[in-house]
Amino acid sequence: LRTTPPPHSRGVPLTAIASIALSSCGDGEGSGEPLSFTWVVSEGSDPVSEAEALRVSTGSELYLPPNTLNAGSTYHIRVIVLDSVRSTFASASRVIQVTRLPLIAHIIGGDWSISRFSSSPITLDGGGSRDPDICSLQQTLMGCDMEGGGALSYEWECRSGDTSAPCRLSNGGTLQMSSGVRTTLIPSLVETSTISHITITLTVSQPSLNRKATASLRLFLSSQDLVPVSITTLSEGSQTLSFRA
């Protein structure tokens, strides 16, 4: 029994192939009769009956399409080989672990320039962040439902330049950014007279599974009024990416 080499992940298909070596010392009975193969796939590390299995199929190869198996789960794959003439069988099994892919944190738009004196709120959007075991990039852009995989938490932080110092308000206080997939920032309220940019960091986490990822961008500060421009990823394929400005 051979399977697709690990690591195994939810978004990648899994193939298993069964082969059998026959003895040349038999009595010849049943020679040339076909062998039948039955696959039994179940969740957990122990075998179960066909009635309790997640999937049962026939043939010398097993193919499980992407998104069939759950990330973080263990599966038992068993193949039963039956000689229809003698009604005897052989079997082989394999236990696999479907690993979780890392969370992806993403702030839509990337680095851009802003007017340091602007009193208009700037929206920072972490909506491109996702759990790749549940949502592809295309699904995320279309509003993928994260239910069942554990909702993501979003925390935002502003730092002065490339330092670890938090952004300060013009009145001397520390800037506190709201949590959530999106947050806003008013440049004129931030003390930026001695710096050329501020760094925004988004931390995306899945507390129930102790998973975390971060993404950062820089907002370059201009003393002139600027027309904001952003780039949004529309879709991704095996060889192409589509963007909108």
Side-chain angles (χ1 to χ4, degrees), residues 174-229:
T174 300
L175 174 65
Q176 301 292 333
M177 304 187 74
S178 62
S179 58
V181 64
R182 297 173 186 84
T183 189
T184 58
L185 174 71
I186 299 178
S188 61
L189 297 182
V190 183
E191 174 52 54
T192 60
S193 59
T194 60
I195 56 177
S196 62
H197 68 276
I198 58 178
T199 300
I200 303 295
T201 299
L202 168 64
T203 300
V204 176
S205 61
Q206 199 173 36
S208 61
L209 298 173
N210 196 28
R211 303 168 73 197
K212 185 178 294 186
T214 60
S216 297
L217 62 74
R218 292 179 293 179
L219 298 178
F220 294 97
L221 302 164
S222 172
S223 297
Q224 301 177 347
D225 290 333
L226 300 172
V227 176
V229 178

Side-chain angles (χ1 to χ4, degrees), residues 20 65 67 101 131 151 203 227 245:
I20 187 169
N67 304 318
L101 297 176
D131 181 349
T203 300
V227 176

Side-chain angles (χ1 to χ4, degrees), residues 125-155:
D125 191 345
S129 305
R130 69 187 192 276
D131 181 349
D133 290 326
I134 300 176
C135 302
S136 67
L137 176 57
Q138 180 65 35
Q139 290 171 328
T140 299
L141 296 172
M142 298 297 291
C144 178
D145 185 2
M146 299 295 291
E147 291 299 325
L152 300 180
S153 298
Y154 301 82
E155 299 293 335

Side-chain angles (χ1 to χ4, degrees), residues 59-139:
S60 61
E61 294 188 13
L62 170 71
Y63 176 78
L64 298 178
N67 304 318
T68 300
L69 307 179
N70 293 323
S73 297
T74 300
Y75 291 90
H76 186 278
I77 299 177
R78 179 164 53 113
V79 60
I80 302 169
V81 184
L82 181 66
D83 183 330
S84 60
V85 174
R86 294 186 175 183
S87 298
T88 60
F89 71 92
S91 66
S93 62
R94 181 75 55 85
V95 175
I96 65 166
Q97 176 72 37
V98 182
T99 59
R100 295 187 185 276
L101 297 176
L103 294 180
I104 297 175
H106 178 68
I107 307 174
I108 294 175
D111 296 348
W112 46 304
S113 298
I114 62 173
S115 172
R116 69 175 76 232
F117 306 119
S118 175
S119 58
S120 299
I122 294 172
T123 298
L124 298 163
D125 191 345
S129 305
R130 69 187 192 276
D131 181 349
D133 290 326
I134 300 176
C135 302
S136 67
L137 176 57
Q138 180 65 35
Q139 290 171 328

Side-chain angles (χ1 to χ4, degrees), residues 40-61:
V40 182
V41 182
S42 58
E43 190 166 3
S45 57
D46 298 321
V48 300
S49 66
E50 293 185 23
E52 300 173 295
L54 174 69
R55 175 169 295 195
V56 177
S57 63
T58 58
S60 61
E61 294 188 13

